[in-house]
Amino acid sequence: MKLFRLFNVAICCMALTMVSCSGEDGLDGKNGDSGAPGTPGTNGDDGLACWDLNGNGVGDVPEDVNDDGNFDALDCQGTEGLDGADKPNMDFYFQDGFKGYMGTVDAGIIPPDLGTNDEEMGLLYINNGQISERRAVLRFDGIGEAIAEALVEEGEDCSNSFYMSKATLYIYIATYTNVYYDNLSIKVGFYGDQDPFFAEDEATWTAANVNDDWGDIGGESEQWAGPLQSDDYPSLLPRGSGVTYGWFPILLPRSVVEDWICNPETNKGMRLRIEPGSDELGQGTIDIVTSDNLLEDFRPLLVIETEDIEPVSANKGAVGTSKPTDWESMTYEEKMAPLYRFLSLK
């Protein structure tokens, strides 16, 4: 019995002990005071000066690069590099009499077998039941050599040396008549490799020179050059008439002019004619000032706009920084801007 009581007492004590240990934890106490700072480390060794080439910490004569008696940062400058090629964006202007250029070749061709080499050349289209025409031929010699000399370094490939952003032909129309057609256009064809070089004082309706005929009468090509391989590059003329029309801009295909520049032997020139693009009866006439005109400022003008191509970019096929603007979306002022720049130089 005593043992049983003692056992019960032990069980009760154990239960009290377990109950007293199951209470919630108390709040954290406050942080103790910070300890004292540690002893600072020793300073590192001084670095070497940029001029101290042998690292001995002493200024030696060869280390005074600029010979000013001091050993300082000025002795750390490298030698000057070679000047880079200065090839900014450039515009080239070709007009007889401007800065010594005299390479324009132009002539009128008239059926049945005539040619003119006067101060003006006429374009004519008449449809009175039978079509009659007069046409003209035009070429700018020496443009490839002039541009290559300015932009192509020795050993460079011409086609990778620059980017031709635009080429514009400006002709000065002295007289103009169109009272019938709403869609009278100047059409330009570019002579190809198989065509002969025409001579200004020998070209006629049937022949390019005294030895070579055209591909067909009227100054036709054996095979027109350019993306279209035809002369269907129309520039629309307004309706009306007048003694003086003024300057007229014609955009030339970049691929054709680039070929003229990098392969001068392909520059056979171009033919100009007018056509209404319909079978309606009517008449249109244009008189264009030629390179032989005494009024030098009104002679035909070719403007070629170029941009430099950096060698690294050229290897990656990058060209230029400006995107060509669609000709039809350009304003008249934008089309005439290269001409205005040219006139400001005179």
Side-chain angles (χ1 to χ4, degrees):
M1 189 69 179
K2 290 180 178 179
L3 290 172
F4 179 75
R5 288 178 179 175
L6 290 172
F7 179 75
N8 286 339
V9 171
I11 292 298
C12 288
C13 290
M14 183 179 292
L16 290 172
T17 302
M18 293 178 65
V19 170
S20 65
C21 293
S22 63
E24 296 182 355
D25 295 337
L27 298 174
D28 294 338
K30 295 181 179 180
N31 294 331
D33 296 334
S34 299
T39 303
T42 58
N43 293 330
D45 296 332
D46 291 336
L48 294 176
C50 64
W51 51 262
D52 193 1
L53 301 179
N54 58 13
N56 65 356
V58 178
D60 300 312
V61 173
E63 295 169 341
D64 185 13
V65 176
N66 61 357
D67 293 324
D68 64 352
N70 299 313
F71 299 90
D72 51 28
L74 295 178
D75 296 309
C76 305
Q77 296 178 351
T79 58
E80 293 185 3
L82 296 175
D83 292 335
D86 185 14
K87 298 193 298 183
N89 299 348
M90 296 181 66
D91 295 346
F92 294 87
Y93 305 98
F94 300 96
Q95 183 189 58
D96 270 22
F98 180 70
K99 293 188 176 181
Y101 179 77
M102 294 298 292
T104 309
V105 183
D106 48 18
I109 54 175
I110 305 170
D113 193 20
L114 298 176
T116 64
N117 183 22
D118 299 323
E119 293 191 22
E120 294 179 0
M121 54 187 181
L123 305 183
L124 169 72
Y125 180 91
I126 299 176
N127 184 358
N128 56 6
Q130 185 175 357
I131 295 175
S132 300
E133 291 187 71
R134 291 184 178 184
R135 300 170 178 175
V137 290
L138 174 64
R139 187 176 67 245
F140 293 87
D141 287 341
I143 63 175
E145 293 84 350
I147 294 177
E149 182 180 352
L151 296 181
V152 182
E153 300 292 337
E154 185 177 355
E156 281 187 324
D157 179 67
C158 176
S159 59
N160 290 328
S161 300
F162 63 91
Y163 170 69
M164 198 206 76
S165 54
K166 189 168 63 175
T168 311
L169 169 66
Y170 294 95
I171 55 175
Y172 193 87
I173 299 177
T175 58
Y176 168 69
T177 302
N178 173 29
V179 295
Y180 301 98
Y181 297 115
D182 293 326
N183 58 347
L184 187 66
S185 299
I186 296 180
K187 290 195 171 183
V188 183
F190 306 95
Y191 288 114
D193 292 338
Q194 300 177 11
D195 294 309
F197 282 96
F198 63 84
E200 184 176 75
D201 55 353
E202 298 174 4
T204 67
W205 189 256
T206 59
N209 55 63
V210 293
N211 297 314
D212 302 299
D213 290 339
W214 298 114
D216 202 349
I217 60 173
E220 291 293 332
S221 170
E222 291 284 353
Q223 178 60 66
W224 295 112
L228 301 181
Q229 295 190 330
S230 73
D231 72 337
D232 195 18
Y233 293 91
S235 297
L236 188 64
L237 291 160
R239 190 166 181 169
S241 62
V243 176
T244 300
Y245 175 87
W247 286 105
F248 187 83
I250 300 174
L251 182 70
L252 305 184
R254 288 180 48 248
S255 60
V256 171
V257 181
E258 285 175 346
D259 207 21
W260 290 352
I261 296 170
C262 291
N263 302 289
E265 69 278 1
T266 66
N267 181 10
K268 303 290 184 69
M270 65 193 91
R271 185 194 69 180
L272 289 76
R273 66 187 179 99
I274 56 176
E275 185 184 75
S278 71
D279 295 330
E280 298 177 25
L281 301 180
Q283 175 177 328
T285 62
I286 290 177
D287 289 317
I288 300 170
V289 173
T290 71
S291 61
D292 296 309
N293 200 289
L294 296 178
L295 301 175
E296 292 187 5
D297 290 344
F298 296 151
R299 294 171 179 173
L301 168 67
L302 176 63
V303 180
I304 298 177
E305 301 172 64
T306 69
E307 300 176 30
D308 179 31
I309 296 180
E310 295 296 336
V312 174
S313 299
N315 293 335
K316 296 179 180 179
V319 290
T321 56
S322 64
K323 183 178 180 180
T325 305
D326 180 69
W327 185 253
E328 298 302 324
S329 66
M330 294 174 66
T331 65
Y332 178 76
E333 288 73 19
E334 289 173 327
K335 294 177 181 179
M336 299 297 286
L339 173 66
Y340 298 151
R341 291 197 297 270
F342 168 71
L343 295 176
S344 69
L345 298 174
K346 303 195 75 174

